[in-house]
Amino acid sequence: VAKMLAVVNYSAKPESVELREVSVPEIGPTDVLLRVGAVGVCGSDVHQWKGRQSWKVKYPCVLGHEFCGTVATNGSRVHTVKEGDRVVSETAAVINQDSPFAHEGRYNIDPSRKGFGYGTDGAMATYVAVPERCLHKLPDNLPFDVAALTEPACVAFSAVCVNTRIVPGDLVVVIGPGPIGLLCAALAKFNGAGTVIMLGLPSDKERLELACSLGADAVLDGEVSDRLNSYGDGYGADIVIDAAGVSATLKTALEVARPGAHITKVGWGSQPIGFSLDLLVQKAISLQGSFSHTWKTWERVISLLESGKLPVDKLISRTAPLELWHDCFEGMHNGTYVKAVLRPGD
Ligand SMILES: [Zn+2]
């Protein structure tokens, strides 16, 4: 069996990730073998490296779910792509096609869904096996580095444009200037928001500047509730998108939301929260979770990337070969890099 290099998460213990030589994956009749062109490092990859994730992981598992590449080999029943095609992949590697959610086209929330990089081997490797149904063709003008950001852009699109209804002129607050939050700010502006305010920590200074270059009208750090009163009519945000990687920011979201507002939570955080939800009740706020994405969102986002209207390349702090995975994970973990992208072909 042919061998390849892969970044493998081999146990639940913290820092159990290493570059290993593993077998090139086998493919079934409806899969393709994809030669990986680029794969983004996600906050969730870093969570798994640190052993702090709240989801079930199979061990060992090749990390990486934000990827694109070139079709190397087709399974016998694959007919929509051919060898040599440049494609980007969705993340729902395993779904129950007979579940009610799949029938509704909402396979992203099928409880039996397994994603690349935790439920099945991911793309931080020379090759990855991918079901044909996950693939979308890439326009020629999108380089792999940039196309690797399609997935986080789809997460943001789903949160802001599918699970939230923004009305033109809305005051939108986005919490957390990570890659998802930054993309949410850009998409909120596209979607008609009157004013977009990005909230972060004082240590997020550079990211908050990046938020402005992506469309945010203002950025705030530290204690924000009082200062937010100078925006709009002073009653708070119509919409809050909570994209921080902790659960506790829901408290800030409830504080900055106006009565009758809508909050969409898209950031994960396994730490329990220790505050009352009375504001949710008192302000009659609607709280919506947002997870993953579906086919139509991918096609929309790819066309946005092709048009250059969503400049995701601004988020890329570092591209590196697979061998430098540790530096990329460390840089994402300590906040030096907004987004690192690995290029297994380099
Ligand atoms: Zn991700």
Side-chain angles (χ1 to χ4, degrees):
V1 183
K3 297 285 180 184
M4 65 174 189
L5 284 178
V7 179
V8 179
N9 186 188
Y10 56 88
S11 94
K13 272 179 60 188
E15 315 232 344
S16 297
V17 172
E18 66 184 13
L19 194 66
R20 282 187 176 179
E21 199 177 67
V22 301
S23 298
V24 170
E26 289 179 15
I27 58 168
T30 57
D31 300 330
V32 308
L33 185 67
L34 194 72
R35 175 178 264 281
V36 181
V39 50
V41 181
C42 178
S44 65
D45 296 309
V46 176
H47 280 313
Q48 280 179 231
W49 172 48
K50 292 290 177 188
R52 286 188 200 143
Q53 76 282 354
S54 56
W55 51 92
K56 204 169 173 292
V57 178
K58 73 131 183 139
Y59 298 106
C61 191
V62 178
L63 290 171
H65 60 271
E66 304 178 354
F67 63 97
C68 53
T70 311
V71 175
T73 312
N74 268 348
S76 57
R77 282 164 55 201
V78 171
H79 60 276
T80 59
V81 294
K82 58 184 189 309
E83 283 173 26
D85 279 355
R86 298 170 73 252
V87 293
V88 63
S89 176
E90 295 190 27
T91 53
V94 178
I95 54 171
N96 173 7
Q97 310 250 31
D98 298 321
S99 80
F101 309 100
H103 283 302
E104 288 174 38
R106 303 182 76 193
Y107 50 88
N108 55 322
I109 53 169
D110 170 15
S112 65
R113 172 196 186 277
K114 285 184 186 160
F116 292 104
Y118 69 89
T120 179
D121 283 333
M124 290 186 185
T126 317
Y127 294 99
V128 58
V130 185
E132 177 185 20
R133 64 173 169 77
C134 291
L135 298 174
H136 296 259
K137 285 192 188 141
L138 278 175
D140 291 336
N141 70 347
L142 267 190
F144 283 144
D145 300 358
V146 176
L149 272 80
T150 311
E151 199 274 341
C154 289
V155 170
F157 188 100
S158 197
V160 172
C161 309
V162 179
N163 288 319
T164 307
R165 196 173 80 93
I166 294 177
V167 175
D170 273 351
L171 174 58
V172 177
V173 165
V174 180
I175 303 176
I180 300 296
L182 292 165
L183 292 164
C184 284
L187 286 163
K189 200 68 190 180
F190 269 2
N191 219 17
T195 304
V196 174
I197 300 175
M198 171 67 81
L199 305 189
L201 302 169
S203 55
D204 290 327
K205 192 169 175 294
E206 278 176 40
R207 285 160 188 252
L208 292 172
E209 281 165 18
L210 189 54
C212 292
S213 85
L214 284 163
D217 299 284
V219 297
L220 294 173
D221 59 34
E223 260 316 311
V224 294
S225 308
D226 291 345
R227 281 179 290 150
L228 199 76
N229 294 343
S230 60
Y231 292 90
D233 60 8
Y235 285 98
D238 299 288
I239 304 285
V240 183
I241 309 290
D242 184 353
V246 288
S247 295
T249 46
L250 183 59
K251 184 165 188 286
T252 307
L254 292 167
E255 285 165 4
V256 301
R258 70 193 280 112
H262 175 101
I263 298 173
T264 295
K265 179 101 178 106
V266 61
W268 294 75
S270 57
Q271 290 301 107
I273 51 177
F275 57 87
S276 162
L277 291 178
D278 282 359
L279 278 180
L280 181 82
V281 180
Q282 186 187 28
K283 292 186 181 177
I285 288 166
S286 58
L287 176 60
Q288 168 79 49
S290 186
F291 175 64
S292 194
H293 27 61
T294 54
W295 179 267
K296 190 174 172 188
T297 288
W298 279 76
E299 289 294 310
R300 283 290 162 89
V301 167
I302 290 167
S303 70
L304 277 175
L305 296 182
E306 183 181 16
S307 72
K309 287 179 187 150
L310 190 61
V312 293
D313 52 302
K314 289 186 180 182
L315 303 184
I316 303 173
S317 319
R318 175 84 202 265
T319 56
L322 215 51
E323 287 77 2
L324 298 181
W325 71 271
H326 189 273
D327 172 78
C328 291
F329 277 50
E330 190 62 53
M332 293 278 297
H333 177 63
N334 66 29
T336 318
Y337 302 150
V338 176
K339 177 62 88 178
V341 175
L342 294 169
R343 297 177 48 102
D346 287 4

